[in-house]
Amino acid sequence: MLDGLDPEQREVATALHGPVCVLAGAGTGKTRAITHRIAYGVRAGILQPASVLAVTFTNRAAGEMRGRLRQLGAGGVQARTFHSAALRQLQYFWPKAVGGDLPRLLERKIQLVAEAAARCRVRLDRNELRDVTSEIEWAKVTQTVPADYPAEVAKSLREAPRDPAEISQIYAMYEQLKRDRAAIDFEDVLLLTVGILQDRHDIAEQVRRQYQHFVVDEYQDVSPLQQRLLDLWLGDRDSLCVVGDASQTIYSFTGATPDHLLNFRTRHPDATVVKLVRDYRSTPQVVHLANGLLGQARGRAAEHRLELVSQRDPGPEPAYVEYGDEPAEAEGTARRIRDLIAAGVPAGEIAVLYRINAQSEVYEQALADAGVPYQLRGAERFFERQEVREAGVALRGAARAGGNDSLLDDAEDLPSQVRAVLSTKGWTTEPPAGSGAVRDRWESLAALVRLAEDFARAKPGATLANLVTELDERAAAQHAPTVQGVTLASLHSAKGLEWDAVFLVGLTEGMMPITYAKTDEQVEEERRLLYVGVTRARLHLCLSWALSRAPGGRASRRPSRFLNGLRPGSAAPGSRGAGGTGGVERGSGGKRKRRGPVLCRVCGKTLTDAGEMKLMRCEDCPSDMDEALYERLREWRSDRAKELGQPAYCVFTDKTLMAIAEAVPGTEGELAGISGVGGRKLERFGTDVLAICAGEEPMEADEED
């Protein structure tokens, strides 16, 4: 059962007692590690299959986990989503806890939210309705009652789609309508299960007798409500294994928070913590870029970032491509994809990832023109979207009316005519605040406005009827049935997937980070979103941006700030030129404070390789290491590793020893400033290392005791 696992995965698989926290970077085989852990525990007789509950966040992930467990001989283990596990328990215990039948489960809550809004005399269009529904879901998973919603929105700096007092009123009416009709929604499934387990200790004990061991995947995405349910499942026990990566927290707008993962050691001081950093998915070149991207991050999640180490053979360097305008970027991307397919890369192993769904249209068109099959993930094709179809009908009607349409009286040219027509469908000169369905609709209509401007520029004198014909032809070309093709997807919908080749497009300021990311934390979540995009690539990675929107436009756009210091020719954030300090500095409290990327102390080049960052210099830059000191440190490390019964690298890696031998620290502060020397290792080994650096003999282990 342990064959084929790397040392860290094996440590996960054999850590079967007490709380366990697995910090697993992208592509490090976390599912393999936790399924082998469960199966190993079952084979060893430590875990009974029926007593294990593994929970994750999507039916796809739960299904994959069940399949792997069956293959490993642990088919009796329950692997479910939080909602699925809670619903089973609710259905079973409802007659005993409450009596009668479980209330009807609403498959979709949007109709009831619409009725609640109408009763509150608030008019919502289809997209506003979706946004208000999402707000109600957020409030419920963060355990916010209707009366507290306005205060919580202000406290969380959340951009509400309507007046918070209005949403609070609709939320309260929605809850009242559910009670009147004996109905519950999916969030209620969790809330009611929590309520029963909290109020009925006999039922809680029955659940705890059934499930004695818990595994939670994607723990960085747990909401406060899900954590509360997990705590009730556990009771006063600690047989819990959580797996997550704070650097992949990209769903905070739904109520997910990495705080539970980051606070795990505080809540469970005796927890076994294992870091999975061996990346089996991506080449060293891709991993190098991913590490560099997070190396510039700030905030709490950044303090817990993982330095990935690729286990694959070297591949091509990531390509950074600048285009003059968006159509050129789309056409250039399509050409590169066609070349990859010609070179033998299957179309199904290629993805184009963008920040918002409205960006898909120009890539749909470019791929269709290039004869490359494609498929959209997580969204309808551009011309199939409701708002685009409605806009097409309105434009067609205006074209037929010609000069008899009063809407067009003041419109002098084609773009003005299109703007006038689409203004009746929700387009405005300024975008709506925040994200959500209203913003998505506006982006789609804005894409049609831009398309009209480009068409008029390419064909002076074109009429509205000409544009409608062009739109019909584009729709027809993109509606051709496709087989296995290139994936077009937003960065959010790409989470959990991987391809041989990934094209990250539209990487300009205002799009990455998105313009409505205002706070530092919102900007950092955008950085993590780009990190997720980078780590989807196994071999080929291309990052691109356009300096203007349309051909001939003013080149006023700037590449994303997240690429500064990473793409060739760009300055690192906060650097003062070659030889700048960068990297880590210490605040007054002695805690590490990361300030931009790490720069080589010899040549000033930006460092993104984990080993080079430890040394604070390029691998091939001259070293001033004390060779004799390095050998003494290696001998000491070998002795300590034998005493502890651990591999030598668990004491210090070779690179950390080299960094110590180059710096020759004389104080604890200087030693702590070296990458790879954390607080725990400083406390455990600091006295020995400083003694060796001072030319003295370290104390014997029994003297230390």
Side-chain angles (χ1 to χ4, degrees):
M1 188 56 64
L2 301 180
D3 286 350
L5 299 183
D6 68 31
E8 294 79 25
Q9 291 172 343
R10 183 178 289 237
E11 189 177 351
V12 172
T14 54
L16 297 171
H17 299 285
V20 178
C21 179
V22 183
L23 301 175
T28 56
K30 66 181 176 66
T31 306
R32 177 181 177 81
I34 58 177
T35 51
H36 278 71
R37 176 184 185 271
I38 294 169
Y40 178 73
V42 169
R43 291 277 186 94
I46 296 170
L47 305 178
Q48 296 303 312
S51 72
V52 180
L53 178 59
V55 286
T56 187
F57 285 81
T58 66
N59 289 320
R60 182 179 64 82
E64 181 187 356
M65 199 177 288
R66 283 195 297 271
R68 292 203 192 189
L69 288 168
R70 274 196 303 272
Q71 291 174 354
L72 294 170
V77 172
Q78 291 290 317
R80 296 183 171 274
T81 64
F82 270 101
H83 282 91
S84 171
L87 181 58
R88 284 191 82 209
Q89 292 176 20
L90 197 60
Q91 288 169 332
Y92 184 82
F93 290 113
W94 185 269
K96 179 179 179 180
V98 181
D101 295 328
L102 181 69
R104 175 176 60 93
L105 180 62
L106 293 172
E107 290 296 326
R108 297 177 72 241
K109 60 171 70 68
I110 200 161
Q111 291 93 341
L112 207 57
V113 175
E115 185 177 339
R119 292 203 179 196
C120 295
R121 303 193 176 187
V122 178
R123 295 193 59 171
L124 301 175
D125 66 27
R126 182 188 297 105
N127 295 284
E128 290 173 319
L129 192 55
R130 282 167 53 195
D131 286 344
V132 170
T133 301
S134 295
E135 283 302 289
I136 290 173
E137 290 171 351
W138 173 82
K140 296 185 78 164
V141 301
T142 56
Q143 302 173 87
T144 302
V145 297
D148 295 341
Y149 171 78
E152 281 302 312
V153 165
K155 180 180 170 185
S156 64
L157 302 176
R158 190 174 179 83
E159 192 90 50
R162 300 276 301 205
D163 176 9
E166 216 170 47
I167 294 176
S168 171
Q169 188 183 9
I170 296 169
Y171 178 15
M173 178 58 71
Y174 167 75
E175 292 296 311
Q176 181 62 51
L177 288 173
K178 281 198 291 106
R179 286 192 294 272
D180 293 346
R181 295 173 191 185
I184 60 174
D185 60 28
F186 279 100
E187 288 71 43
D188 290 329
V189 169
L190 300 182
L191 284 163
L192 290 169
T193 306
V194 163
I196 288 173
L197 296 179
Q198 222 166 232
D199 296 343
R200 290 290 299 269
H201 298 293
D202 56 330
I203 292 176
E205 285 308 312
Q206 191 174 340
V207 171
R208 290 166 193 159
R209 282 196 300 272
Q210 169 71 49
Y211 294 118
Q212 296 165 22
H213 309 280
F214 296 86
V215 177
V216 184
D217 194 12
E218 302 289 1
Y219 194 55
Q220 77 278 354
D221 291 333
V222 165
S223 71
L225 179 55
Q226 289 163 333
Q227 180 62 46
R228 193 170 167 195
L229 177 59
L230 180 61
D231 289 340
L232 287 164
W233 281 341
L234 273 167
D236 58 2
R237 300 166 301 171
D238 62 3
S239 187
L240 170 66
C241 174
V242 301
V243 189
D245 178 8
S247 297
Q248 295 189 68
T249 305
I250 58 172
Y251 297 114
S252 65
F253 57 91
T254 67
T257 170
D259 288 349
H260 305 298
L261 176 66
L262 298 177
N263 294 337
F264 194 82
R265 282 293 296 275
T266 304
R267 294 186 66 187
H268 304 280
D270 58 338
T272 299
V273 178
V274 185
K275 294 182 180 181
L276 301 184
V277 296
R278 299 174 195 255
D279 187 327
Y280 297 96
R281 174 188 299 158
S282 305
T283 62
Q285 287 76 10
V286 173
V287 168
H288 188 75
L289 173 57
N291 285 337
L293 184 61
L294 285 191
Q296 302 174 359
R298 292 175 172 79
R300 194 152 176 244
E303 293 170 8
H304 295 263
R305 71 186 184 92
L306 299 167
E307 284 281 349
L308 299 179
V309 181
S310 175
Q311 305 299 298
R312 292 193 55 171
D313 292 334
E317 289 290 337
Y320 297 86
V321 189
E322 185 174 274
Y323 293 95
D325 53 71
E326 283 181 14
E329 183 179 9
E331 289 162 14
T333 300
R335 278 196 305 274
R336 284 173 171 261
I337 289 172
R338 196 170 53 192
D339 291 344
L340 280 176
I341 293 172
V345 179
E349 286 296 345
I350 303 173
V352 178
L353 306 181
Y354 35 75
R355 177 61 181 83
I356 59 173
N357 285 323
Q359 290 173 273
S360 78
E361 191 277 333
V362 68
Y363 292 94
E364 292 178 54
Q365 185 64 44
L367 290 171
D369 291 346
V372 176
Y374 68 88
Q375 54 188 342
L376 266 85
R377 180 179 178 86
E380 298 167 299
R381 294 183 181 193
F382 183 80
F383 286 102
E384 292 174 358
R385 292 171 196 161
Q386 180 75 25
E387 61 269 24
V388 176
R389 289 205 305 267
E390 291 174 356
V393 170
L395 290 169
R396 200 170 286 110
R400 278 198 301 269
N404 298 322
D405 193 327
S406 59
L407 265 177
L408 309 182
D409 287 348
D410 298 325
E412 298 176 359
D413 56 15
L414 176 59
S416 299
Q417 292 173 348
V418 171
R419 286 191 285 267
V421 173
L422 296 189
S423 65
T424 68
K425 296 297 175 184
W427 179 82
T428 54
T429 53
E430 291 297 319
S435 58
V438 171
R439 178 73 182 227
D440 290 345
R441 177 185 177 86
W442 184 90
E443 294 284 4
S444 293
L445 296 177
L448 286 174
V449 171
R450 292 195 298 269
L451 200 151
E453 292 168 352
D454 296 343
F455 186 69
R457 195 177 295 109
K459 296 186 178 181
T463 65
L464 197 54
N466 297 144
L467 176 66
V468 168
T469 301
E470 169 74 7
L471 295 179
D472 288 344
E473 288 174 356
R474 286 187 176 226
Q478 295 175 35
H479 288 175
T482 58
V483 287
Q484 175 82 326
V486 172
T487 299
L488 296 179
S490 71
L491 286 162
H492 278 104
S493 64
K495 177 79 164 62
L497 303 174
E498 57 186 80
W499 295 270
D500 283 346
V502 169
F503 290 80
L504 299 173
V505 298
L507 301 181
T508 58
E509 284 292 306
M511 193 58 77
M512 179 53 67
I514 198 77
T515 186
Y516 48 77
K518 304 291 188 187
T519 66
D520 288 346
E521 181 45 46
Q522 288 168 344
V523 170
E524 285 306 312
E525 182 148 336
E526 292 286 300
R527 187 196 305 277
R528 295 194 294 269
L529 188 57
L530 181 57
Y531 172 79
V532 166
V534 168
T535 55
R536 299 311 93 196
R538 299 191 192 106
L539 180 61
H540 304 279
L541 179 62
C542 180
L543 304 94
S544 64
W545 58 92
L547 296 178
S548 69
R549 184 185 59 73
R554 191 162 63 90
S556 57
R557 291 180 171 178
R558 290 181 294 120
S560 169
R561 71 190 76 169
F562 299 147
L563 302 182
N564 290 345
L566 301 177
R567 63 186 177 88
S570 64
S575 68
R576 300 182 181 179
T581 56
V584 173
E585 67 178 28
R586 288 192 170 272
S588 57
K591 291 186 177 178
R592 293 189 186 191
K593 196 165 60 176
R594 186 162 292 281
R595 190 186 70 191
V598 178
L599 303 183
C600 174
R601 54 191 166 83
V602 181
C603 71
K605 177 185 167 187
T606 301
L607 304 177
T608 51
D609 177 75
E612 292 182 343
M613 288 168 75
K614 284 185 186 296
L615 295 175
M616 293 288 288
R617 65 169 175 80
C618 302
E619 194 82 61
D620 50 0
C621 276
S623 167
D624 52 358
M625 182 177 72
D626 183 334
E627 294 285 349
L629 173 58
Y630 177 64
E631 287 306 318
R632 288 200 302 277
L633 288 167
R634 279 173 59 87
E635 289 174 11
W636 163 82
R637 180 185 66 173
S638 176
D639 292 340
R640 287 311 310 262
K642 286 176 186 172
E643 292 166 9
L644 296 169
Q646 294 179 338
Y649 67 79
C650 289
V651 179
F652 286 119
T653 64
D654 284 347
K655 284 290 196 302
T656 301
L657 291 188
M658 288 173 69
I660 293 170
E662 288 185 354
V664 194
T667 66
E668 278 196 359
E670 291 171 358
L671 178 58
I674 295 172
S675 180
V677 183
R680 191 167 170 224
K681 290 192 177 182
L682 182 67
E683 183 180 343
R684 199 170 188 188
F685 306 125
T687 304
D688 281 6
V689 170
L690 290 173
I692 295 168
C693 289
E696 301 166 0
E697 287 297 318
M699 289 188 292
E700 296 293 333
D702 58 351
E703 288 179 272
E704 292 178 334
D705 295 337

